[in-house]
Every structure is written in structure tokens, then in C-alpha cells.
Amino acid sequence: MNFLRKIKDSVYNPDFYSDLLKNNDKKLALRYFFKLSCFLALIMTIWFLIAFYPKFTSFTSKENIQTLISTYPEKLELVIKKGELSTNLEKEPYFIKGNADLNTSKNKTNFLVIDTKNEITLETFKKYDTLILLSKNTVMSQDNNYKITIQELKNFPDITLNKEKINNWAGVIQPKIKYLLIIFIPLLFIAFFLSQLAHLIYLIFGALIIWGIIKLKSQNIGYKNSYKIGLYAISTASILSVIAFITSTRLPFLFYSLVLAIVVFINVKKQ
């Protein structure tokens, strides 16, 4: 309960910040920051598992994998090399129709379209009426919320795909999926935790904002103490960023700096 009270005070409690300005215990501030980072990482991990675990287990079920393999054309070979896709297709665009077994949207005609010959735009994606579109340099996809994602193939490793390889991979990976999940969950938590710890780097700059604002309040606490205040004041921005992550909300430019400045301004009293 004391930790939750500190979170509340970090958001708004001028008396709490007055005490912080008098207290030079930086270890206590770091301890609070690490606890908050751990708490928020746990929330993000739990949300991610609730949101995606059922979909993942459904997608990686033996029946669904066999459906995907059977849908893959017998002679089709895809090669990604140095960020570019090439195929052995004689005619493109190439369409793989959607069906109920692949959990494709009822409003989509195709599951996958391959087109490495033509220029690809959002209009092309919509015209092809597909869930996934592979072009020479990108992969475009649409989720259940109709959000379109574009990924550059230069971010993918060099790889050759054909039905034989997919069959072999499925035979090796599918029985081990439950064990991979056991490894994946702590790794996911660590990734979210590290994303929160990145705020320590941001506060190298953020402490300058805090120092300036507190100086306007006729107090000169120095850079080190400004950094310590920042370990608490960053709480509001951290919590809002987690809410934005969960709700898929885009944060505005300079979000952290604006929120940090507002929190410090309304909590630090003028001398």
C-alpha cells in the first residue's frame, strides 16, 4: 500500500515533493523507480498474454498449422535476400484465397497476395482485398481492427521458403511451442522492464527541464537533485504510456517532456 501511495503522490502531492526537495536520499528514489518499472512491466506482460495468448495458441495449434501448410502452393518458392523478395512465379500478382480455416475476415477475398512486379500503395492493398500483401520490398497486413501495418523486408533475415522447408520447420517447432511459451513469457517481461528502464536515459535530458522549472520557482537544487525528482515525476508519463500501449494510442511529439514539465510545475511550490 505504501508503494501505491507513492505512485499517487508522485502524480500529485505538493507536500510530497516539498519533502523530496529536503531529502537527498537518491537510493530511495532509484528503489521507487525500479519498483514502478517492474510493476508497469508486469501489467504490460499480463495484458499482452490476455490479449494475444488465445490467438497465438489457436494459430499455432496442430490443426491450424496443417491448414496453413496445405494452403501453401506446392511449387511456390519465396526468397528474401538483402531486403528484396523474389519468387519463381511466372505471373504476378499471385492470389491465395482466404477461407474459414485460416480465420480470415469474412470481408476479405484473399489471405495472401504476392506482387513483386508493380508499385504497391495503400490503394493497391485495398484493391487486392487481402489480409497480407507481399511486395518486392515490403509486407503489408491488416489486423482485426482494420489497422494496416507496413514492414520493410530489409528488417527480415535472408531466407528461402518453400513447402518442403515449411513442412520440416512445422515438424520441429510445433511440438516445442508450449516450451517456447515458457521461455517467451519471462523474456517478454524483461523486454517491457527494459523499455521502462530506458526512462533513466531520457532523464539525463529531463533533469535539465526539471532544474529549469524549479529555478523559476526561486529554488536552485542542482542537476543531481533534479534527476532524483525526475525519478518520481516521470511516473505520470510512464503510466500514461502504458495505457497508450494497451489502447494502441499514438503519443504526441515531446509527450514525456510536456507531462514531466506539467507534473513538476504543479507539484513544486514557489519559495
Side-chain angles (χ1 to χ4, degrees):
M1 290 301 292
N2 186 45
F3 169 64
L4 294 177
R5 194 180 302 113
K6 269 193 178 180
I7 294 177
K8 179 183 74 67
D9 291 341
S10 296
V11 174
Y12 181 74
N13 188 337
D15 292 333
F16 174 74
Y17 278 87
S18 292
D19 291 339
L20 288 179
L21 291 170
K22 298 169 188 173
N23 181 359
N24 287 321
D25 192 345
K26 296 176 181 64
K27 287 183 179 178
L28 199 64
L30 274 172
R31 199 176 302 132
Y32 163 79
F33 177 83
F34 281 116
K35 281 183 181 179
L36 178 66
S37 298
C38 188
F39 177 66
L40 294 177
L42 183 61
I43 290 173
M44 294 167 81
T45 303
I46 291 169
W47 172 83
F48 193 91
L49 291 175
I50 291 170
F52 293 100
Y53 180 77
K55 295 177 184 178
F56 179 79
T57 52
S58 173
F59 181 78
T60 57
S61 67
K62 190 173 182 180
E63 295 77 16
N64 207 40
I65 288 176
Q66 288 304 316
T67 301
L68 285 168
I69 293 171
S70 64
T71 304
Y72 193 92
E74 288 288 342
K75 296 181 180 179
L76 175 61
E77 183 167 278
L78 304 175
V79 178
I80 299 175
K81 189 172 183 179
K82 294 182 179 179
E84 291 191 355
L85 173 68
S86 60
T87 77
N88 61 347
L89 295 168
E90 294 180 2
K91 186 180 178 182
E92 294 185 28
Y94 183 84
F95 300 88
I96 297 178
K97 299 293 182 182
N99 58 59
D101 291 330
L102 285 173
N103 297 319
T104 56
S105 168
K106 292 179 181 179
N107 297 323
K108 295 294 179 184
T109 305
N110 302 300
F111 173 67
L112 172 68
V113 175
I114 302 168
D115 187 352
T116 62
K117 309 297 183 186
N118 301 303
E119 183 180 351
I120 300 300
T121 64
L122 286 174
E123 289 304 314
T124 313
F125 182 82
K126 292 173 183 176
K127 182 183 79 172
Y128 284 157
D129 196 27
T130 183
L131 285 180
I132 304 169
L133 172 59
L134 283 175
S135 70
K136 187 174 182 178
N137 305 106
T138 61
V139 52
M140 299 177 70
S141 60
Q142 188 175 56
D143 61 21
N144 291 332
N145 297 318
Y146 300 99
K147 181 182 177 182
I148 297 173
T149 303
I150 303 172
Q151 296 183 65
E152 299 283 339
L153 290 179
K154 65 183 180 182
N155 298 322
F156 287 64
D158 290 353
I159 193 172
T160 299
L161 286 176
N162 53 47
K163 192 153 191 170
E164 182 182 357
K165 280 192 175 182
I166 291 173
N167 263 313
N168 292 338
W169 290 344
V172 172
I173 294 171
Q174 207 282 327
K176 296 181 173 63
I177 285 173
K178 60 182 178 181
Y179 302 110
L180 291 173
L181 273 174
I182 294 171
I183 299 170
F184 176 72
I185 292 170
L187 288 177
L188 185 65
F189 172 80
I190 291 168
F192 287 140
F193 182 65
L194 290 175
S195 73
Q196 293 299 314
L197 291 188
H199 295 152
L200 289 171
I201 299 171
Y202 163 74
L203 282 173
I204 294 172
F205 164 75
L208 295 172
I209 297 174
I210 295 167
W211 192 5
I213 291 171
I214 294 178
K215 212 166 185 180
L216 289 174
K217 301 267 187 173
S218 303
Q219 297 187 63
N220 188 5
I221 63 171
Y223 178 81
K224 288 183 179 179
N225 281 326
S226 297
Y227 191 96
K228 181 196 73 176
I229 295 295
L231 294 171
Y232 290 97
I234 197 74
S235 300
T236 302
S238 297
I239 293 166
L240 290 175
S241 70
V242 170
I243 294 171
F245 171 78
I246 290 172
T247 57
S248 299
T249 303
R250 199 171 202 170
L251 295 174
F253 181 62
L254 295 178
F255 168 78
Y256 280 94
S257 297
L258 289 169
V259 174
L260 189 68
I262 291 168
V263 169
V264 173
F265 186 81
I266 64 175
N267 277 292
V268 175
K269 298 174 181 177
K270 190 169 184 177
Q271 290 289 76

